[in-house]
Amino acid sequence: MNIILLDPDHTLDIGLYGLSARQQTHLTKVIKAERGAVLRVGLLNGQIGEGIYEPPSDIMPGHIHSLNLTLSPPTPLPIVLVMALPRPNMLKRTLHNITAMGVKELYLIHSAKVEKSYWQSPVLQTESIEQCLLEGLEQAKDTIMPKWSLIPRFRPFVEDQLPSILEGKTGLLAHPYEAIPCPVDIQQPSVLALGPEGGWNEFEVMKWHEAGMKSVHLGDRILKVETVVPVLLSRLYPS
Amino acid sequence: MNIILLDPDHTLDIGLYGLSARQQTHLTKVIKAERGAVLRVGLLNGQIGEGIYEPPSDIMPGHIHSLNLTLSPPTPLPIVLVMALPRPNMLKRTLHNITAMGVKELYLIHSAKVEKSYWQSPVLQTESIEQCLLEGLEQAKDTIMPKWSLIPRFRPFVEDQLPSILEGKTGLLAHPYEAIPCPVDIQQPSVLALGPEGGWNEFEVMKWHEAGMKSVHLGDRILKVETVVPVLLSRLYPS
């Protein structure tokens, strides 16, 4: 937890920001913060700076006060990420890592080679997803919560939603067949579509191409999802 | 397992290559390969191509024959990676991923902020490390086994071994304090030193700088090791 993210809706009184159980535990047990400790804090979807810690007492839960917020959050990546739903035990880590890297718009989409059972996973519950995103923000000292949607049906998304999402952006389909090398440092907004472990099927590739997405590859090496995502993001937006 | 890596020392007869238990299980249970199946194979530290599968019988274990090896393994990354020993539950995944990305020379080094207990982990046994590297090669369809060393003592390494390792290479220290941005697409060999979660200490930073390593950063976001490694490698060598 590299920053304490405060919820502007969770104030105990004017200028006094409450802490979640997880934050309180972190401050008590890991940081061992004492009254008056100056902590790095940020307002969710707001600015970053410092605040002063007041430990829990009989009359009041632990909280942060005297906020001095002077810094903007780090620059987001100008990318819309559309990912075939990963398997549940990869999803939490993936959400955390893409958030830490600065992705602000995410669609988790169905694909023929995504097991239907993945859509039943408790990891997909809203609180669970929001928690992963929050932890990604805390990791990277960011405050801006990504927007995300679950897209259980592939076709309506690519036919009806994708065209407007794609406007003014480069569309890149991670699909290493008849593909050009993934561009480096593109310096413009993009939509990046990442398939499931087995890849997109022919129909899906055709629909992506129809919408204007171009197939790109990363060279001869086949990388696991946990590696390919940071590699792609870093290659498209190295700075 | 995207390629079956054959050990030139594990032949059952001339041109007949034996399989490890893990490979045999994969072929029997996952691929469900039958006699005559043409498989993608590679010779450890050699070329890549195809071979023909013969299932196990009463007289002979399962094996691959009639090798036709026509392709070179993918281009390695011209990098020497010196990593402070990660915690054991991260090490296996890290070894796999850096191998899949093409790292061929690795030193796992001690640092003040590396828990001494990590050095006792069974994950550090030779067979365990070699297994992770092998699986990284199988993932990426590579054949060239990385060279690796355990460096339990920091100072002798940076004083005695590092100067010759650094010759003809750019030395980069991942240390985001008083650092320049990590260069993009450096197009020359490098040595990259990655610290433990808590970072290098002052003495270590001084020794690295004395040897000629330059501190570099990746911007405002703090990333986890599992993300920072692919990001750095991809940034230095995007193509």
Side-chain angles (χ1 to χ4, degrees):
Chain A
M1 198 183 286
N2 297 317
I3 191 171
I4 308 289
L5 284 176
L6 304 172
D7 186 344
D9 296 334
H10 184 191
T11 50
L12 306 176
D13 202 338
I14 298 177
L16 267 51
Y17 292 86
L19 298 163
S20 67
R22 193 169 58 83
Q23 289 170 328
Q24 184 63 71
T25 303
H26 180 79
L27 289 175
T28 306
K29 299 202 169 162
V30 178
I31 307 287
K32 300 185 173 53
E34 298 183 350
R35 155 177 288 151
V38 177
L39 302 175
R40 183 189 293 120
V41 304
L43 265 183
L44 211 50
N45 296 315
Q47 300 283 89
I48 292 174
E50 293 172 341
I52 299 178
Y53 174 60
E54 179 66 33
S57 68
D58 293 339
I59 48 168
M60 186 94 84
H63 58 271
I64 309 287
H65 63 89
S66 306
L67 260 55
N68 181 27
L69 306 179
T70 52
L71 297 172
S72 295
T75 313
L77 295 182
I79 193 167
V80 176
L81 189 56
V82 184
M83 276 187 83
L85 186 66
R87 76 175 94 138
N89 65 355
M90 283 298 311
L91 179 61
K92 291 175 99 162
R93 193 183 301 128
T94 301
L95 290 173
H96 178 122
N97 291 339
I98 63 181
T99 302
M101 291 198 68
V103 172
K104 298 301 177 197
E105 198 174 337
L106 170 68
Y107 296 87
L108 292 168
I109 193 173
H110 188 61
S111 164
K113 294 183 192 168
V114 169
E115 304 252 352
K116 287 195 171 54
S117 63
Y118 294 178
W119 288 97
Q120 318 308 327
S121 170
V123 184
L124 284 190
Q125 288 170 11
T126 297
E127 306 75 24
S128 170
I129 291 184
E130 297 270 317
Q131 187 63 28
C132 296
L133 303 179
L134 188 66
E135 290 178 15
L137 295 178
E138 290 169 344
Q139 168 71 44
K141 297 187 293 172
D142 193 351
T143 63
I144 312 294
M145 185 61 92
K147 298 196 190 325
W148 58 276
S149 303
L150 300 181
I151 308 287
R153 292 174 59 220
F154 176 86
R155 188 169 183 168
F157 176 82
V158 289
E159 290 182 349
D160 306 334
Q161 287 186 256
L162 183 60
S164 59
I165 294 170
L166 258 177
E167 269 181 51
K169 303 187 188 75
T170 303
L172 303 168
L173 179 68
H175 183 68
Y177 308 97
E178 292 169 24
I180 59 168
C182 178
V184 178
D185 198 9
I186 58 170
Q187 309 229 359
Q188 51 182 296
S190 63
V191 178
L192 174 64
L194 290 175
E197 279 182 35
W200 304 107
N201 72 13
E202 271 191 48
F203 172 77
E204 291 163 350
V205 174
M206 180 191 72
K207 296 306 272 182
W208 288 118
H209 286 169
E210 262 177 25
M213 308 279 284
K214 301 273 184 280
S215 291
V216 295
H217 71 75
L218 277 175
D220 299 328
R221 299 175 176 281
I222 300 178
L223 302 175
K224 296 204 302 198
V225 162
E226 69 196 55
T227 309
V228 97
V229 172
V231 167
L232 276 167
L233 296 179
S234 166
R235 184 170 168 134
L236 292 169
Y237 304 106
S239 304
Chain B
M1 196 182 287
N2 296 318
I3 191 172
I4 308 288
L5 283 175
L6 303 172
D7 187 345
D9 295 335
H10 184 190
T11 51
L12 305 178
D13 203 338
I14 298 177
L16 267 52
Y17 292 86
L19 298 163
S20 68
R22 194 168 57 84
Q23 287 170 329
Q24 183 63 71
T25 303
H26 180 78
L27 289 175
T28 307
K29 300 203 170 166
V30 178
I31 307 288
K32 300 188 173 52
E34 298 183 349
R35 154 177 288 152
V38 178
L39 303 174
R40 183 190 293 119
V41 304
L43 264 184
L44 213 49
N45 295 317
Q47 298 285 89
I48 292 174
E50 292 173 343
I52 298 177
Y53 174 61
E54 180 65 33
S57 67
D58 292 340
I59 49 168
M60 186 94 86
H63 57 271
I64 309 284
H65 63 88
S66 305
L67 260 54
N68 181 26
L69 305 181
T70 54
L71 298 171
S72 296
T75 313
L77 294 181
I79 192 165
V80 176
L81 189 57
V82 185
M83 278 189 81
L85 186 66
R87 77 175 93 134
N89 66 355
M90 283 298 311
L91 179 61
K92 293 175 99 161
R93 192 182 302 129
T94 301
L95 291 173
H96 178 122
N97 291 338
I98 63 182
T99 301
M101 290 198 68
V103 173
K104 296 302 177 198
E105 198 172 337
L106 170 68
Y107 297 88
L108 293 168
I109 192 173
H110 189 61
S111 164
K113 294 181 192 171
V114 169
E115 305 254 353
K116 287 194 170 53
S117 65
Y118 294 177
W119 289 97
Q120 318 308 326
S121 169
V123 183
L124 283 190
Q125 288 168 11
T126 296
E127 305 76 24
S128 170
I129 290 185
E130 297 270 317
Q131 187 65 24
C132 295
L133 304 180
L134 188 66
E135 290 177 16
L137 295 178
E138 291 169 344
Q139 169 70 43
K141 297 186 295 174
D142 195 352
T143 62
I144 312 293
M145 186 58 93
K147 299 195 188 324
W148 58 276
S149 303
L150 301 180
I151 309 287
R153 291 176 58 221
F154 176 86
R155 187 169 184 167
F157 176 84
V158 288
E159 290 183 348
D160 307 334
Q161 289 186 253
L162 182 61
S164 58
I165 293 169
L166 257 176
E167 269 181 50
K169 304 187 188 74
T170 302
L172 304 168
L173 179 69
H175 183 67
Y177 308 97
E178 292 171 25
I180 59 168
C182 178
V184 177
D185 198 9
I186 58 171
Q187 308 229 357
Q188 51 182 297
S190 64
V191 178
L192 174 66
L194 291 176
E197 280 181 34
W200 303 108
N201 72 13
E202 272 192 47
F203 172 78
E204 291 162 351
V205 173
M206 180 191 73
K207 298 304 272 180
W208 288 117
H209 286 171
E210 261 176 26
M213 308 279 283
K214 302 274 185 277
S215 291
V216 295
H217 70 76
L218 278 175
D220 299 326
R221 297 175 176 284
I222 300 178
L223 302 174
K224 295 204 304 199
V225 162
E226 69 196 54
T227 311
V228 96
V229 172
V231 166
L232 276 167
L233 296 179
S234 167
R235 184 169 167 132
L236 292 169
Y237 304 106
S239 303

